[in-house]
């Protein structure tokens, strides 16, 4: 079987990054929220589902994911996980951190360069100390900016995912899972290293326990020898009759010296006894700790293996979910287009049909209106002829009036107006029709 499939592999030679953990309540909050997601009406929802229902369900998925991502991000702070190592930052967010880090490194180099200048009166004259002070201030500013860069990037990240779609949130969740796999593996390496140190400690403690017991035996042997000498010295002291003699004083001194030696040996015996007991105790303590750590490491391996494998499968699963959402949208879009197409066909058909019937009705109206038009025009012409007759009669009276009053024959003046109608009476029966009109001259006032 290929080594690539070894999900439990732990390589202690890889560089690890240790993180101080400050446990909080964030994980309990997340577990509580997840436990509230159980819905007894799920089956009914599936049975009665429509495409519109899917929209609301997908939005609920998005909201749940968004809340989970926020909680995970907060949990990172709770347990001391570095934010930018556990979230998929976009280029803009990552640039905030990178720029702050580069500025901090530049500030450190500039301070080192300023401090590297020899402390001579000449360099001080040219502002060595002021340059160092300026570089120190710049470094403090850069450190503040770098310290706030993570929070700034985090705020930008949180703002971005507020309106993110399901696909972006699923990608973020997958990224966090992959980062967690690395974190779990690093923790396994750390535990393994501690286990090895504890194993060495057990060996060392066992050796010291044995040495302590050996020393204790040596001290007990010396102690028995000193006890015998002390007993003999005390007996010799009792046998001296003259308590004021030099011999008695010398005997007291010998007893005192032996008692002191016995006391020292008793102290050593107690020390080695205590040391042996302590080392024996730590052997058991270290052994228990190793068992606990091994159990934890085994559990971490199980979680890491499952999380790594499941994340790989989950990525495919998420891809299917996202494609399904897109397909649902495309299906709805196609349905809308089909609906619009049908409605458009109906409207165009209705317009064409109306156009045909309107055209046919217009033709009928045109045919029906011809007699009416002729009748109207007949009335127009009749009224025109009647009016013209009245005008001619009036003209005749005017001619007669002018002839009587001024001796002027008005026929010549008005005759031109009636040449187009020779059959119409002129109003002067005594004058022959068709008489030529006299030529006009310069004195003709009507020319």
């Amino acid at each position: 079987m290929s080594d690539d499939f070894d999900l439990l592999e732990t390589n202690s030679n890889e560089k690890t990054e240790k993180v101080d953990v400050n446990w909080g309540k964030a994980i309990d909050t997340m577990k509580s929220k997840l436990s509230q997601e159980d819905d007894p009406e799920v089956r009914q929802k599936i049975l009665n589902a429509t495409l519109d229902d899917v929209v609301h369900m997908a939005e609920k998925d998005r909201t749940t994911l968004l809340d989970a991502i926020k909680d995970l991000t907060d949990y990172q702070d709770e347990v001391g996980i570095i934010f930018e190592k556990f979230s998929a930052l976009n280029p803009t967010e990552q640039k905030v951190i990178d720029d702050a880090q580069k500025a901090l490194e530049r500030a450190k180099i500039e301070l080192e360069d300023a401090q590297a200048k020899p402390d001579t009166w000449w360099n001080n004259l040219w502002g060595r100390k002021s340059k160092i002070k300026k570089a120190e201030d710049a470094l403090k500013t850069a450190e503040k900016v770098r310290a706030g860069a993570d929070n700034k990037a985090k705020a930008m990240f949180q703002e971005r995912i507020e309106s993110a779609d399901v696909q972006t949130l699923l990608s973020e969740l997958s990224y966090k899972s992959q980062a967690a796999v690395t974190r779990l593996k690093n923790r396994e390496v750390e535990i393994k290293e501690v286990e090895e140190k504890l194993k060495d400690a057990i060996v060392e403690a066992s050796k010291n326990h044995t040495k302590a017991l050996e020393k204790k035996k040596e001290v007990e042997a010396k102690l028995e020898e000193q006890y015998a000498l002390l007993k003999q010295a005390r007996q010799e002291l009792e046998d001296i009759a003259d308590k004021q003699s030099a011999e008695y004083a010398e005997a007291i001194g010998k007893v005192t010296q032996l008692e002191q030696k016995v006391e020292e040996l008793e102290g050593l015996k107690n020390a080695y006894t205590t040391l042996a007991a302590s080392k024996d105790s730590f052997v058991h303590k270290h052994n228990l700790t190793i068992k606990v750590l091994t159990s934890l490491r085994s559990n971490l391996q199980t979680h890491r293996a499952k999380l790594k494998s499941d994340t790989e499968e989950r990525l495919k699963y998420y891809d299917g979910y996202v494609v399904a959402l897109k397909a649902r949208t495309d299906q709805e879009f196609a349905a809308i287009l089909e609906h619009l197409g049908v409605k458009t066909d109906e409207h165009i058909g209705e317009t064409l049909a109306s156009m045909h019937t309107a055209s046919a009705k217009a033709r009928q109206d045109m045919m029906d209106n011809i007699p009416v038009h002729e009748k109207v025009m007949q009335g127009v012409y009749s009224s025109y002829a009647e009016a013209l007759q009245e005008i001619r009669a009036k003209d005749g009276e005017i001619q007669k009036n002018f002839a009587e009053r001024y001796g002027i024959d008005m026929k010549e003046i008005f005759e031109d107006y009636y040449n187009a109608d020779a059959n119409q009476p002129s109003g002067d029966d005594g004058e022959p029709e068709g008489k030529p009109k006299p030529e006009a001259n310069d004195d003709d006032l009507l020319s």
Side-chain angles (χ1 to χ4, degrees):
M1 186 177 293
S2 174
D3 292 339
D4 293 339
F5 191 71
D6 185 6
L7 298 176
L8 298 178
E9 177 189 0
T10 301
N11 186 358
S12 60
N13 294 326
E14 292 183 6
K15 183 178 180 181
T16 61
E17 196 170 310
K18 298 181 180 179
V19 180
D20 293 332
V21 178
N22 298 316
W23 297 108
K25 298 180 180 179
I27 191 69
D28 294 330
T29 303
M30 279 191 291
K31 288 169 66 176
S32 175
K33 286 185 178 180
L34 290 174
S35 66
Q36 296 172 5
E37 292 300 318
D38 295 335
D39 192 342
E41 300 178 359
V42 168
R43 181 175 179 275
Q44 201 61 35
K45 286 183 179 180
I46 296 173
L47 292 174
N48 299 331
T50 65
L51 288 178
D52 289 336
D53 294 335
V54 175
V55 175
H56 301 297
M57 295 171 72
E59 178 56 28
K60 184 179 179 182
D61 290 342
R62 195 195 77 85
T63 303
T64 303
L65 269 172
L66 180 59
D67 291 341
I69 296 299
K70 287 180 179 178
D71 289 338
L72 281 170
T73 305
D74 292 337
Y75 177 65
Q76 293 167 209
D77 293 337
E78 291 279 357
V79 299
I81 301 174
I82 300 176
F83 169 71
E84 64 267 28
K85 298 295 184 182
F86 218 71
S87 292
L89 304 183
N90 66 18
T92 303
E93 295 157 358
Q94 187 63 51
K95 189 174 185 298
V96 172
I97 297 173
D98 293 343
D99 289 350
Q101 184 62 36
K102 290 177 182 177
L104 178 60
E105 293 171 357
R106 283 196 302 269
K108 289 180 179 178
I109 293 173
E110 290 175 0
L111 178 58
E112 290 174 358
D113 292 342
Q115 292 174 336
K117 294 275 187 183
D119 187 6
T120 62
W121 71 269
W122 178 256
N123 287 334
N124 290 332
L125 180 64
W126 287 98
R128 175 182 176 274
K129 292 182 179 179
S130 63
K131 289 179 180 177
I132 291 176
K133 181 65 171 61
K134 183 179 179 181
E136 288 174 343
D137 293 341
L139 178 59
K140 290 179 181 178
T141 302
E143 287 174 342
K144 290 180 180 179
V145 173
R146 178 62 186 90
D150 288 350
N151 288 334
K152 184 177 180 181
K154 179 181 176 181
M156 295 170 65
F157 167 82
Q158 293 282 42
E159 183 178 356
R160 173 168 61 88
I161 66 168
E162 280 287 346
S163 57
D165 56 16
V166 172
Q167 187 172 9
T168 302
L169 294 176
L170 288 174
S171 298
E172 174 63 21
L173 183 61
S174 299
Y175 185 90
K176 287 185 183 296
S177 298
Q178 291 167 340
V181 168
T182 302
R183 177 177 170 80
L184 291 175
K185 186 173 182 179
N186 292 342
R187 188 67 70 197
E188 291 172 42
V189 171
E190 184 180 1
I191 292 175
K192 186 68 175 177
E193 291 174 352
V194 174
E195 286 177 6
E196 295 301 323
K197 291 179 181 178
L198 287 173
K199 287 179 182 178
D200 294 339
I202 288 176
V203 173
E204 190 67 24
S206 297
K207 290 180 179 178
N208 290 331
H209 176 260
T210 302
K211 288 180 180 179
L213 291 177
E214 291 173 353
K215 287 290 183 181
K216 179 189 174 187
K217 288 182 179 179
E218 292 178 6
V219 170
E220 286 175 342
K222 291 180 180 180
L223 192 57
E224 288 180 5
E225 181 181 335
Q226 294 300 316
Y227 270 131
L229 293 173
L230 179 60
K231 183 179 181 181
Q232 182 181 351
R234 285 175 176 172
Q235 185 63 46
E236 291 175 352
L237 180 63
E238 291 178 1
D239 292 342
I240 298 174
D242 187 1
K243 307 299 183 184
Q244 301 298 324
S245 64
E247 183 182 3
Y248 187 79
E250 184 180 348
I252 289 177
K254 184 179 181 181
V255 169
T256 301
Q257 185 178 6
L258 287 171
E259 286 177 344
Q260 185 179 9
K261 187 67 174 178
V262 168
E263 188 67 29
E264 289 177 356
L265 291 173
E266 286 285 356
L268 282 175
K269 176 185 175 182
N270 291 335
Y272 284 126
T273 301
T274 303
L275 183 60
S278 174
K279 294 302 178 182
D280 184 59
S281 173
F282 273 107
V283 167
H284 295 294
K285 289 176 182 177
H286 292 338
N287 187 51
L288 175 61
T289 305
I290 288 175
K291 288 180 179 179
V292 173
L293 290 177
T294 303
S295 175
L296 290 172
R297 181 164 56 87
S298 176
N299 290 340
L300 284 177
Q301 284 181 329
T302 302
H303 284 298
R304 177 172 61 87
K306 188 174 187 305
L307 185 59
K308 181 179 179 182
S309 178
D310 288 356
T311 299
E312 293 173 356
E313 299 299 333
R314 211 165 266 132
L315 288 173
K316 304 168 189 174
Y317 181 55
Y318 290 165
D319 285 342
Y321 174 60
V322 171
V323 170
L325 284 179
K326 292 178 179 178
R328 179 263 154 210
T329 304
D330 292 341
Q331 184 177 346
E332 183 70 9
F333 184 60
I336 292 172
L337 287 176
E338 175 65 18
H339 179 72
L340 289 175
V342 170
K343 285 297 180 183
T344 303
D345 293 346
E346 293 175 358
H347 292 161
I348 291 176
E350 180 183 344
T351 303
L352 288 173
S354 299
M355 191 182 300
H356 182 267
T357 56
S359 178
K361 288 180 180 179
R363 174 178 55 78
Q364 292 176 350
D365 291 342
M366 180 182 67
M367 298 299 291
D368 290 342
N369 286 335
I370 288 176
V372 175
H373 176 69
E374 290 178 345
K375 184 176 181 181
V376 171
M377 290 304 295
Q378 182 179 4
V380 170
Y381 288 131
S382 175
S383 300
Y384 168 67
E386 183 179 349
L388 192 59
Q389 177 64 33
E390 293 177 357
I391 290 171
R392 285 181 173 175
K394 184 70 174 177
D395 285 346
E397 292 178 1
I398 291 173
Q399 292 177 34
K400 182 178 179 181
N401 182 271
F402 267 71
E404 290 176 352
R405 293 176 62 185
Y406 306 108
I408 301 174
D409 188 358
M410 296 301 295
K411 179 177 177 58
E412 294 180 0
I413 297 175
F414 290 99
E415 189 176 29
D416 290 340
Y417 291 98
Y418 310 116
N419 284 336
D421 193 359
N423 297 325
Q424 192 68 22
S426 63
D428 188 0
D429 294 337
E431 190 70 19
E433 295 180 6
K435 183 176 180 179
K437 181 179 179 181
E439 294 183 1
N441 53 48
D442 296 338
D443 294 332
D444 189 353
L445 296 176
L446 297 178
S447 62

